[in-house]
Amino acid sequence: MTALRELTRDTAARLGAGSPPFADRTPVGPGALLLAAAVGGRAQSGPARALVEAAPAPRLSAGGWADALARHAVVAPVTGQKIDAELADALLRASMLTAVLHRPPLSRLTSGATATEAEAAADLLGRPRGRTVLTAALAAWSPDPAVLTWRAELLTRLSHDHPDVVLDTYLLARLRHGADWDRRLSGAARALSGVGLPDDLPVATVRFWAPLAALDQRDPELIRSRTLLDGHRNAVNLVRRYRLGLSAAGAE
């Protein structure tokens, strides 16, 4: 339990979630310990999944954000590793914060059944330091097209009620990761201009910027109000050139 507390504290500090995380003083439940055991035993996917399924379902309606942070602290380090796909989805179902900041389970993402994760993201915006954590997590490029697909979908959902959050995300993308995004977008443009169907990653790399292109079309003055937002025009033009815009995400 001491190791879990230290990991949770370190993760909260790295994310900027504060202490207690997101100002939530409710106790951390046993779920994070079960997830930690599953992650430790992930080489045996069957027993590991059984441990995950034994964890109580995540609940954020009455607090639970400290528990969500503890679960994320355990699950997030393995999201970029090659593990059993069913185990990965089970871990993401059990760790709502990871599903928001990384991506939902593939079974939900591919079917568009992500209303629960989108609602959790909106709830996170109402928590102390939640907005900072969310925008920072969404702003960086990812080598996983499913992650970029989720980010574009989530930003599209948020653009209606929280356009300022969407703009802040793209502002961080340019200010913190501008050189990396320029490099990735150049590579994506080359792939899209070639012969044959491109891979998923270049498409997802450009499509990440589709919510900004939609905001630019809907309300150009809103984007111009972010005077520090610069260098995004190439991405917006690529979205339009290859018609990679997203339709508004609806409720399931």
Side-chain angles (χ1 to χ4, degrees):
M1 193 67 179
T2 299
L4 177 61
R5 282 195 295 266
E6 292 177 355
L7 177 62
T8 301
R9 183 170 58 249
D10 291 347
T11 302
R14 178 174 52 80
L15 293 178
S19 181
F22 308 115
D24 177 27
R25 297 187 178 278
T26 57
V28 173
L33 284 174
L34 289 169
L35 297 186
V39 167
R42 60 189 179 278
Q44 300 183 38
S45 58
R49 285 200 307 274
L51 283 170
V52 175
E53 290 163 3
R59 298 183 183 276
L60 299 176
S61 57
W65 284 102
D67 184 71
L69 193 285
R71 293 179 182 221
H72 179 66
V74 170
V75 173
V78 300
T79 54
Q81 299 180 12
K82 291 185 177 180
I83 63 174
D84 177 77
E86 290 185 13
L87 174 59
D89 266 16
L91 288 167
L92 290 167
R93 282 193 296 271
S95 179
M96 183 59 70
L97 186 58
T98 313
V100 170
L101 301 183
H102 181 63
R103 66 161 175 79
L106 281 177
S107 57
R108 294 183 186 174
L109 186 59
T110 55
S111 64
T114 55
T116 299
E117 291 81 3
E119 182 179 350
D123 289 345
L124 180 59
L125 293 175
R127 301 297 306 185
R129 304 199 181 189
R131 176 172 175 153
T132 299
V133 171
L134 182 63
T135 55
L138 299 182
W141 181 80
S142 170
D144 185 344
V147 171
L148 294 173
T149 295
W150 162 242
R151 292 178 183 171
E153 177 186 323
L154 179 58
L155 290 168
T156 297
R157 287 178 178 268
L158 293 175
S159 66
H160 300 286
D161 295 329
H162 305 281
D164 54 329
V165 173
V166 175
L167 290 177
D168 284 351
T169 300
Y170 288 113
L171 178 61
L172 283 178
R174 293 305 312 166
L175 291 178
R176 293 186 182 177
H177 313 287
D180 189 39
W181 271 113
D182 288 343
R183 185 164 56 252
R184 305 302 180 181
L185 286 165
S186 294
R190 289 193 296 272
L192 290 170
S193 63
V195 178
L197 292 175
D199 294 334
D200 290 340
L201 185 56
V203 173
T205 296
V206 174
R207 188 171 277 157
F208 168 83
W209 296 85
L212 183 65
L215 277 178
D216 184 49
Q217 184 173 7
R218 192 171 80 206
D219 189 353
E221 288 300 323
L222 191 61
I223 292 182
R224 281 195 281 269
S225 70
R226 290 297 196 277
T227 56
L228 294 178
L229 180 57
D230 190 27
H232 62 285
R233 188 55 55 185
N234 179 52
V236 169
N237 289 340
L238 286 172
V239 170
R240 291 172 178 165
R241 180 186 307 166
Y242 294 105
R243 299 181 181 181
L244 293 175
L246 295 168
S247 60
E252 284 81 50

